[in-house]
Amino acid sequence: MTENFIKGMDVSTLIEEEECGARYYDNGKEGDLLDILKSYGTNYVRLRLWNDPYDENGNPYGAGTNDIDKTIELSKRAKAHDMGILLDLHYSDFWADPGKQVIPKAWKGMNVKELEEAVYEFTLETMKRLHEEGVPPTMVQVGNELTNGLLWPYGLKPNFDEIALFINAGIRAVKAIDKEVPIMIHLDNGGLNEMYVEWFDNFVKRGEAFDIIGLSYYPFWHGTLDELSFNMQDMAKRYGKKIVVAEVSMGFSMEDYRSYEGGNDKELKGMATRPDLLEKLTYPMTKQGQADFMLDVMNRIKAVDGGLGFFYWEPGWIPVPGCGWATEAALEFTGEKGPGGNEWANQALFDYDGNTLPALSAIRDF
């Protein structure tokens, strides 16, 4: 399935970062992000695809505004670097995760059968387009963090019949274009074995064949590293699947970065300011702590029979004005509160000024 240990990076925001003025440096020398990542051992990229990340007036939702054209452009850049491509199909117009799986605008009002057909046709057309453009994906992820299902309310857990119906439609469409491409099914909370067993027990009874179980693992949310190891080992043995940590990251700083975003009034959020989350970390949120964490994670994946590798989530999402997790149009669409600035900059593999961090050397040398 893969000859080399996957050292992957999710670079879905890259085009938008560059347009907003992000610059990347290695040992003081400015370079293209993919050039730099390649020099540190990156051999795969992960690219999310949203159905229609624009409002009715064409205003972009941000966070990469990952439509098919941007996916093609980034795929071509990755292919030019001889990198594999993991296509991450969200089946939504914006973020899809365990807290939200919103039916795309164009599919509103459809019943279950119509949604099944819509998933199939969208996936089929996406695969056709990528093949026509000369950038067929090397691996395909059908759905994103499907812990609580997809296309709510119909595919909301525990509606496993509908969940499987939608996922199966995506798998069949992928295979209609490329019978050999590996299929991943991806959940979050990589340390929670009980949830994984329940989910996959239900899916394998109803589901089409797939190849890889993908896990998200963020140490401030998803359990201990030992729990991650146990779950990876159990998933590989229990279901006979390959294992990929499809999303992982670790902080390198607790320093505020508002000034880098143009001095807005949004403070650094999440794990950097909540003691209850920081207490869960095995490694400190320092540059060396980030590097040590990644070395530990890679060793744990390697120890799994069938452990293929990892994808670091958004290593290049550094703080620059105008490149956040949601635009005003997106906030109106989701109903969430803003401002939608960068809430990930202290998790990147580059510091706030765009300089490479020691974790990249740990990845290269593994």
Side-chain angles (χ1 to χ4, degrees), residues 77-309:
R77 290 174 63 174
K79 184 178 179 182
H81 287 79
D82 196 29
M83 294 177 179
I85 301 163
L86 168 56
L87 174 65
D88 175 13
L89 293 156
H90 278 226
Y91 300 119
S92 189
D93 290 335
F94 202 41
W95 299 110
D97 56 48
K100 50 188 174 298
Q101 297 276 342
V102 179
I103 291 175
K105 296 183 292 291
W107 301 356
K108 291 290 185 182
M110 291 185 177
N111 61 32
V112 169
K113 187 64 179 175
E114 291 167 335
L115 285 171
E116 178 190 17
E117 182 64 23
V119 169
Y120 183 89
E121 291 299 329
F122 176 80
T123 308
L124 190 75
E125 290 306 311
T126 297
M127 291 292 292
K128 282 182 180 177
R129 180 86 186 274
L130 292 170
H131 276 257
E132 289 167 357
E133 294 284 348
V135 284
T138 323
M139 184 186 298
V140 179
Q141 181 183 317
V142 177
N144 189 73
E145 290 192 328
L146 296 170
T147 309
N148 291 320
L150 72 166
L151 299 174
W152 294 351
Y154 301 105
L156 177 63
K157 184 182 175 182
N159 299 337
F160 281 105
D161 288 343
E162 289 78 9
I163 290 171
L165 195 73
F166 299 146
I167 296 172
N168 288 343
I171 293 174
R172 288 197 306 272
V174 171
K175 295 297 187 179
I177 302 300
D178 186 347
K179 290 183 173 59
E180 302 303 320
V181 67
I183 300 289
M184 175 193 292
I185 295 180
H186 169 219
L187 311 184
D188 85 320
N189 216 335
L192 191 53
N193 179 252
E194 182 180 356
M195 180 270 288
Y196 273 73
V197 171
E198 178 201 18
W199 201 100
F200 282 103
D201 274 356
N202 275 282
F203 182 77
V204 296
K205 291 186 293 188
R206 301 166 168 87
E208 298 277 347
F210 69 101
D211 308 284
I212 301 164
I213 291 177
L215 311 88
S216 291
Y217 181 72
Y218 298 113
F220 33 85
W221 290 324
H222 293 161
T224 67
L225 284 161
D226 286 345
E227 287 170 333
L228 172 68
S229 289
F230 176 82
N231 193 34
M232 290 191 295
Q233 297 277 12
D234 185 54
M235 290 299 100
K237 182 178 180 180
R238 186 183 295 263
Y239 302 109
K241 304 300 180 184
K242 303 297 184 183
I243 302 296
V244 169
V245 176
E247 293 183 22
V248 65
S249 77
M250 171 64 183
F252 68 87
S253 174
M254 292 176 62
E255 180 187 353
D256 199 341
Y257 45 78
R258 282 178 293 173
S259 62
Y260 290 84
E261 294 189 277
N264 66 51
D265 60 359
K266 189 191 81 63
E267 294 193 20
L268 189 63
K269 288 186 175 181
M271 50 281 148
T273 54
R274 285 182 52 185
D276 60 317
L277 293 180
L278 292 172
E279 287 174 359
K280 299 179 180 181
L281 300 181
T282 303
Y283 296 94
M285 284 182 55
T286 62
K287 293 177 181 180
Q288 189 58 49
Q290 183 188 56
D292 293 341
F293 168 83
M294 281 309 301
L295 181 59
D296 195 341
V297 167
M298 290 186 290
N299 275 312
R300 289 169 185 268
I301 298 169
K302 190 84 169 182
V304 176
D305 183 14
L308 298 183

